[in-house]
Amino acid sequence: MGIEITGWGKCTPPSILTNKDLETILDTDDEWIVSRTGVKERRIAHTSLSDMGTVAAQHALAAADKDPQDIDAVIMATCTPQYIIPTTASRIQENIGNKHAAAFELNSACTGFVYGLTTAYSLISSGVMKNILLVGGEKVSFFLDWGARDTAVLFGDGAGAVVIEAVDNDSKLYSSKLTCDPFLGNTLMLDNFGSSMEFKDPKDGYFLGIHFEGQEIFKNAVKTMARLAEEALAESNLTVDDIDLCIPHQANLRILEATAKRCNFPMEKMIINLDKYGNTSAGSIPIALTEALDQGKVKPNSKMLFLAFGGGLTGAAAVIDWGSRVTSIKTSDAALPDSEKTALELVKEISNP
Ligand code: UT7
């Protein structure tokens, strides 16, 4: 028995927030953002996270030609859930019309998709399940402090999804390396949220948004991703030259360039789309994967490396054999409703509820 990604899809909300837009609300400029991060624009959602996840899921189900009833688990990788209870995964399950599957959230921040991929492959290889819908996505715009220029310019909203299933060939997960350094946890935080929240005053008690120590995370991201890539390749009995494509978490172009240099990995084999979407956290890899497939960059039996780092501080690297099919079996016309507001209007609403 093999295990393969048989369906893929994305949902990137229509409202585009450009660096020029950000110049109107923050002390920043396009030149700084592009030269320090590579990001030119990002999307701001006018709908819920489960709406985005559902659209991505419907494309993935169509690409795999999979009946939603055949899905055994919906796993939602996110650190910006729509509710704490019920899970965003269960909302997506409801929207696709599945009544019986397991549904749960998986939060390891930006590494969520690779953690989820590893979980899904393991549930299938153990025989517990056959078909899994894995969605990665965020509505991070809601959790940002839009007055903080160091963080606000980096992130964006979006979701991607894959169907993973047991197949009758030898496609597989060669290796997966997942890690977390809890001693650096405070370097990337959304505090005063969750059961630690202090309701002293309705205004003071409100969480302030994600904050981080950028340089500390930057250094750690490069070191961790390079180390995990080496370990995952060694365990797979593969070298850098054997890898056809790397789909990394899209946080910062400079982080990816430094990681590629450290691993002797050619940038041409790395999929980069952070210029269009910024850092969509757990959404970034499935969105980039879907675009790589749509652009014909994934070839039959490609050996692929997924790489990520994020809050925790977590790190993840996984090597897979893609399998033979690189085109969708069916397509879906699922889409979000049109937005009546511009991205800047949506951001202003979040900043002044
Ligand atoms: O998925 C994980 C999420 N976390 C990350 O991805 C963060 C990883 N870290 C990074 O991507 C980078 O560290 C940043 C992009 C956040 C910052 O880049 P940097 O090259 O490390 O800049 P810096 O923090 O050293 O700041 C340099 C200067 C500072 O001014 P002074 O002190 O030199 O006068 C900042 O105040 O740039 C200033 N600055 C800005 N200027 C214009 C910070 N943010 C901005 C901004 N526009 N948006």
Side-chain angles (χ1 to χ4, degrees):
M1 184 194 79
I3 304 175
E4 198 171 293
I5 295 174
T6 56
W8 49 86
K10 64 167 185 172
C11 176
T12 52
S15 302
I16 299 175
L17 186 71
T18 64
N19 291 348
K20 287 279 168 207
D21 289 330
L22 283 171
E23 285 179 10
T24 67
I25 53 169
L26 288 169
D27 178 17
T28 190
D29 58 80
D30 177 61
E31 199 279 325
W32 190 96
I33 303 172
V34 173
S35 63
R36 300 279 177 144
T37 72
V39 180
K40 293 180 181 156
E41 56 190 42
R42 69 289 290 143
R43 304 297 174 99
I44 304 296
H46 64 295
T47 59
S48 68
L49 178 61
S50 64
D51 287 340
M52 288 190 279
T54 301
V55 169
Q58 283 165 338
H59 286 282
L61 289 164
D65 193 16
K66 183 66 63 190
D67 184 334
Q69 299 310 329
D70 292 336
I71 294 296
D72 302 311
V74 180
I75 306 177
M76 177 74 202
T78 189
C79 58
T80 56
Q82 188 169 341
Y83 312 104
I84 304 293
I85 306 169
T87 61
T88 313
S90 79
R91 301 292 80 184
I92 295 171
Q93 179 187 14
E94 180 186 30
N95 292 342
I96 63 169
N98 173 303
K99 268 193 176 175
H100 63 84
F104 60 96
E105 235 87 298
L106 188 157
N107 177 2
S108 62
C110 303
T111 54
F113 182 78
V114 187
Y115 268 61
L117 194 74
T118 309
T119 306
Y121 272 78
S122 305
L123 284 167
I124 296 172
S125 69
S126 64
V128 172
M129 290 178 183
K130 287 197 169 66
N131 302 300
I132 293 181
L133 175 66
L134 169 63
V135 186
E138 310 283 356
K139 185 166 173 169
V140 69
S141 58
F142 179 79
F143 292 92
L144 291 175
D145 174 357
W146 285 101
R149 64 179 184 173
D150 58 333
T151 47
V153 303
L154 298 185
F155 294 93
D157 299 333
V162 291
V163 172
I164 305 163
E165 61 180 296
V167 289
D168 193 14
N169 63 39
D170 52 8
S171 309
K172 62 178 174 180
L173 173 74
Y174 282 97
S175 167
S176 172
K177 293 283 162 194
L178 308 178
T179 182
C180 181
D181 182 348
F183 299 99
L184 288 173
N186 289 358
T187 61
L188 175 44
M189 269 193 101
L190 176 67
D191 55 6
N192 202 14
F193 191 78
S195 55
S196 67
M197 211 162 177
E198 289 176 28
F199 294 96
K200 286 180 224 146
D201 174 293
K203 280 187 194 147
D204 292 349
Y206 200 60
F207 64 91
L208 286 173
I210 292 170
H211 56 91
F212 60 51
E213 294 169 31
Q215 290 188 2
E216 192 60 34
I217 299 167
F218 190 117
K219 279 186 284 181
N220 187 270
V222 174
K223 267 194 281 181
T224 304
M225 286 198 292
R227 175 174 61 79
L228 295 180
E230 273 169 27
E231 287 176 13
L233 287 172
E235 199 170 275
S236 310
N237 283 322
L238 297 170
T239 68
V240 161
D241 295 339
D242 296 317
I243 297 296
D244 300 297
L245 217 53
C246 172
I247 316 248
H249 167 49
Q250 311 281 318
N252 182 325
L253 183 59
R254 285 159 57 220
I255 291 179
L256 297 182
E257 286 170 345
T259 307
K261 195 170 169 201
R262 218 174 160 117
C263 301
N264 280 324
F265 193 84
M267 283 302 284
E268 309 80 73
K269 287 189 187 176
M270 224 180 228
I271 299 296
I272 312 270
N273 66 1
L274 59 84
D275 51 319
K276 293 188 290 180
Y277 305 120
N279 179 349
T280 55
S281 181
S284 79
I285 292 182
I287 293 171
L289 171 65
T290 299
E291 294 198 340
L293 281 148
D294 290 347
Q295 293 159 8
K297 291 180 179 164
V298 181
K299 306 290 180 207
N301 296 108
S302 282
K303 291 187 179 59
M304 296 173 54
L305 171 66
F306 296 104
L307 265 186
F309 72 95
L313 292 179
T314 53
V319 182
I320 63 162
D321 180 319
W322 176 260
S324 56
R325 186 167 55 77
V326 292
T327 51
S328 300
I329 300 177
K330 288 187 179 159
T331 55
S332 161
D333 56 7
L336 294 180
D338 290 339
S339 173
E340 286 169 7
K341 293 181 178 140
T342 65
L344 208 46
E345 284 167 347
L346 292 167
V347 163
K348 285 179 182 165
E349 261 179 24
I350 299 166
S351 312
N352 301 299

